[in-house]
Amino acid sequence: MWEVHSSDKIRIKDIAERYGVSVGTVDRVLHNRPNVSRRARAKVEPVLKEINYQPNMYASALAYNRK
């Protein structure tokens, strides 16, 4: 499905667009939060595992510090 090279950065937004779900849905699946349909979870979880998605810690820190 995904052709990932070591220099490629796949964003949550890329996954959401490709599989027809919202960015929020991908985020909720990634962080194992509630309020995600089985259908959406079934689309997103295999992709996250396949590409071994790891959140960017710098981006996470920036987002966390927003007010």
Side-chain angles (χ1 to χ4, degrees):
M1 288 182 136
W2 288 87
E3 189 173 318
V4 181
H5 303 285
S6 61
S7 63
D8 289 347
K9 301 281 189 209
I10 297 175
R11 303 170 303 164
I12 289 175
K13 183 177 179 179
D14 299 328
I15 296 168
E17 287 176 359
R18 186 161 185 175
Y19 291 94
V21 297
S22 72
V23 172
T25 297
V26 177
D27 181 71
R28 285 189 294 274
V29 171
L30 183 62
H31 297 291
N32 201 29
R33 295 186 180 128
N35 301 326
V36 180
S37 72
R38 285 188 195 133
R39 184 175 177 197
R41 192 174 293 275
K43 287 182 181 181
V44 176
E45 281 182 336
V47 175
L48 293 174
K49 287 178 185 174
E50 177 187 340
I51 64 173
N52 192 26
Y53 183 84
Q54 299 294 317
N56 181 316
M57 70 177 164
Y58 297 113
S60 297
L62 285 173
Y64 180 76
N65 289 323
R66 279 192 203 153
K67 293 191 179 201

